[in-house]
Every structure is written in structure tokens, then in C-alpha cells.
Amino acid sequence: MIDPFGRPITYLRVSVTDRCDFRCVYCMAEDMTFLPKSDVLTLEELDRLCTAFVRKGVRKLRLTGGEPLVRRDIMTLFDALGRHLKTGDLDELTLTSNGSQLARYADHLVRAGVRRVNVSVDTLDPDKFARITRWGRLDQVMEGLRAAKEAGLRVKINTVALRGVNDDEAFELIRWCGEQGFDLTFIETMPLGEVDVARVDNYMPLSLLKAQIGQRYTVRESDHVTGGPARYVTLAETGQRLGFITPLTHNFCESCNRVRVTCTGMLYMCLGQEDSADLRAALRADRDDTALDAAIDEAIGRKPKGHDFVIDRRHRKPAVSRHMSVTGG
Ligand code: SAM
Ligand code: SF4
């Protein structure tokens, strides 16, 4: 799959559920209304959909959500998709998780062929963690991380930078990740979806965080690239690699290699644009994937050149109305 701007599409992120056992303040309102089950793709449909993308050249699959590990029987999907790793058609099967269910599933994930997991941890302070996630418990996530490590999974921690909330914890997080052997990526808040908190109040440009880190460490720009919005640096003193995801302040679109599918089968060609394609209708149109293949090809032909995120300071409205839990992180 090559899009109109010559970019090969090799990375698919799939949200397997919009539900979650946490209610992070920047991601969801506390009283979220979730989709009716009949709108959500079955595990079998998700397998058909991912397999179609693999057939078309996707080499990396990331399952996300909502919280992917709260979907019932989700391991059957991991097991099914693992077959593409065995045939060599897929290089990587991975997931982004809040870590709450990792203690239960880490071993099974490894058996399915998963080697790496991204886990979101915004703070190491249990009270602050409870405030940010509303329903989450830090000790449960820590137990999940221990299990992941023991199972042999490589872990990358994702931390959303929130001004006045966790901007005093950067060094502690860097130290902890160094100690645990985890990679660490900071994420700037993105204006996605309506949430209760005025997002501009917590907006923290990562340039500030980087400058803060530069006062203690020698920060070297790294040429590590993933085709995504992350830019990497290395800390000379420890050799640690840090990622920064800055969609609002940097343009990463020219190297974009990815598309996203929601749990209802909507394909979004760009995280920051509303244009989409309904793959559920195509999946349910026939059993032999003819309609699905055609719908994917047509949609890739519409992948836009770039996004236009902006936090609207006057109206405090998100630039894109769907939540991150819909398209996945
Ligand atoms: N539940 C899983 C988790 O928390 O990792 C996977 C889904 S979550 C939507 C994926 C990532 O998106 C998380 O790292 C989360 O912190 C991040 N995220 C959610 N809402 C965001 C927002 N408005 N701006 C920036 N990152 C956000
Ligand atoms: Fe759930 Fe992840 Fe959103 Fe937090 S960021 S509410 S864990 S989906």
C-alpha cells in the first residue's frame, strides 16, 4: 500500500474496544457512554480486518483501545494474529495498555508472539495516579509491569506531560525507567474529544520539559526514527533513550507510515483529520473479503498529506471531536 504522497503504509493500529477500567482525566469523561456491543467488531471480524492489512503489506500491528486487555477473550485475537508472525508476514505484534491486566496476561502475550508492550504511567505517586486515572491503582499497574518484565517483555512507558500535575516528576520517571530497563516517551496532550477538564490549563509543551532535562543531562539528538510522531534523544550520562511525542509543535506527517482502525471498523487515515472509511460495512458485505480489500484500497488513496491539530484557546474545543479511546493512542 502506497498512499498518494508516496508513503508506504506498513503500520496498523487497531482499537479493539472503546471501554476501559480507568477514566484518565485527559482521555475520558467520568460518565462515558460506550458503544453498544453490536456496533463493535467481533474478534473474528477484527482478525479478518487485520489479516487483510497484513496481506496488503502491513508489517506491524498494535492493538490498543480503550484498554485492549479488558475486552473479553482478547487473547484469542492475539493468538490468531500471532500466526502471521510465524509465517513471517508480520514483523511485530504489540499493544498499548494501561497495565492493569498485565499480571494476568503477560505470559500469554509472550506465547502469542508479543515481544514489546507500551504501558501508560503518568506518575509514580499513588495518590496522584488515582487522581489522574480516577479509577486506577498504581500498585496494580506496578504488579503488571513486574509480570511483564518477568515474562521477558520489553516495556516502554508512555507519560502524558501535564503542567502543574506531573511536570515535577520527569527526573524521577527517568531514574525509575533507567533502573527498571524501560524506555520512556513523553507525550504532549492532544486536543481529542470532549473531556471535563479544560485541557489548555494542563497543556505542557515538551520543549519546556526537554529544556528542564537538559539542565541535568547532556541531551543528544538521536537519529532513531519510527515513522511516527516520536522524536528521540539519548542522555549521554546514562545512555537512556527518551522519546518525545509532540504533535502540536512539530510536523511529523512527511514520514507517516500508519493508519488506524476503531473498534467499530472505521478506518482513519490520519489521527488529526475527520476523514474515514467504514470497513465494518465492507466486512459484513461478504465473506471473501472482496469488499473489504476494495474499501481499504480506496481509503489509502485518500490519506491526507498531514494534520492540523490546534488547541482552540478561545473556545476550548478539541480540534477533533472523537476521543483518543476511540482511535487508540
Ligand atoms: N488504555 C491504553 C493506555 O492507556 O495506554 C491504550 C489506549 S490510550 C488512549 C493510548 C495512549 O493515549 C495513552 O498513553 C494515553 O496516555 C494517551 N492519551 C489519551 N488521551 C490523550 C490525549 N488527549 N492527549 C495525549 N495523549 C493521550
Ligand atoms: Fe483508559 Fe488509556 Fe484512556 Fe486512560 S488513556 S482512560 S487507560 S484508554
Side-chain angles (χ1 to χ4, degrees):
M1 288 179 289
I2 308 278
D3 81 358
F5 303 94
R7 297 168 296 192
I9 307 304
T10 54
Y11 181 11
L12 175 68
R13 300 167 77 108
V14 184
S15 174
V16 297
T17 178
D18 62 332
R19 290 164 199 249
C20 188
D21 52 344
F22 290 4
R23 290 289 181 280
C24 301
V25 290
Y26 47 75
C27 179
M28 291 192 186
E30 189 152 20
D31 59 341
M32 290 288 284
T33 315
F34 293 109
L35 294 161
K37 290 235 161 75
S38 56
D39 285 357
V40 175
L41 299 184
T42 64
L43 293 173
E44 193 220 337
E45 286 170 334
L46 284 165
D47 180 23
R48 274 177 63 205
L49 184 142
C50 292
T51 300
F53 275 96
V54 170
R55 201 162 57 229
K56 287 176 177 296
V58 157
R59 305 290 313 176
K60 177 172 171 180
L61 265 178
R62 177 179 298 279
L63 303 194
T64 175
E67 173 48 38
L69 298 183
V70 300
R71 172 125 191 206
R72 191 200 298 223
D73 292 333
I74 190 64
M75 285 302 135
T76 58
L77 182 62
F78 277 100
D79 286 337
L81 294 174
R83 74 188 183 280
H84 301 305
L85 296 166
K86 292 199 185 98
T87 58
D89 293 331
L90 188 65
D91 295 330
E92 185 170 27
L93 174 61
T94 184
L95 72 154
T96 302
S97 169
N98 65 22
S100 71
Q101 310 300 315
L102 270 179
R104 226 163 115 201
Y105 290 131
D107 287 328
H108 196 146
L109 288 168
V110 171
R111 282 202 301 282
V114 174
R115 294 292 170 262
R116 297 196 301 166
V117 56
N118 288 2
V119 181
S120 307
V121 179
D122 298 333
T123 174
L124 295 172
D125 175 326
D127 294 332
K128 221 190 264 183
F129 189 86
R131 279 201 301 278
I132 296 174
T133 62
R134 291 196 187 103
W135 297 1
R137 276 189 16 241
L138 184 62
D139 57 347
Q140 192 182 350
V141 173
M142 289 297 165
E143 200 187 319
L145 286 168
R146 258 193 307 278
K149 214 165 125 173
E150 271 165 32
L153 288 167
R154 274 205 61 84
V155 174
K156 192 183 82 169
I157 300 296
N158 282 337
T159 301
V160 175
L162 300 162
R163 192 165 60 94
V165 179
N166 66 359
D167 48 351
D168 56 343
E169 280 193 75
F171 293 119
E172 184 55 16
L173 282 158
I174 292 171
R175 190 195 56 74
W176 172 69
C177 284
E179 204 174 85
Q180 297 291 322
F182 300 158
D183 287 332
L184 173 61
T185 290
F186 291 102
I187 309 178
E188 211 163 71
T189 37
M190 291 186 232
L192 294 176
E194 301 276 358
V195 290
D196 316 330
V197 192
R199 209 177 324 246
V200 274
D201 295 343
N202 288 134
Y203 174 66
M204 160 100 178
L206 291 191
S207 49
L208 274 184
L209 193 68
K210 229 178 185 172
Q212 196 186 332
I213 294 168
Q215 288 173 1
R216 191 173 301 183
Y217 292 97
T218 314
V219 177
R220 302 222 165 99
E221 295 296 325
S222 154
D223 52 11
H224 183 71
V225 283
T226 59
R231 292 288 172 266
Y232 294 89
V233 302
T234 309
L235 304 183
E237 287 79 2
T238 64
Q240 268 173 283
R241 189 163 66 203
L242 289 188
F244 294 91
I245 300 186
T246 55
L248 296 172
T249 49
H250 281 100
N251 211 332
F252 54 86
C253 307
E254 68 283 353
S255 61
C256 183
N257 59 357
R258 60 198 60 195
V259 292
R260 295 174 166 78
V261 179
T262 69
C263 60
T264 60
M266 294 303 282
L267 172 65
Y268 284 93
M269 287 70 84
C270 173
L271 183 60
Q273 301 271 2
E274 298 282 3
D275 192 26
S276 62
D278 180 6
L279 299 185
R280 186 180 63 196
L283 269 163
R284 293 181 180 173
D286 60 38
R287 294 286 313 170
D288 69 0
D289 295 346
T290 315
L292 178 61
D293 283 348
I296 294 172
D297 291 343
E298 187 276 329
I300 298 299
R302 281 192 277 133
K303 185 168 160 70
K305 194 165 179 202
H307 66 66
D308 37 40
F309 279 125
V310 67
I311 287 192
D312 183 332
R313 284 177 192 277
R314 251 181 332 127
H315 302 99
R316 300 194 165 202
K317 284 272 183 218
V320 172
S321 60
R322 61 186 188 274
H323 286 91
M324 191 74 135
S325 53
V326 173
T327 14

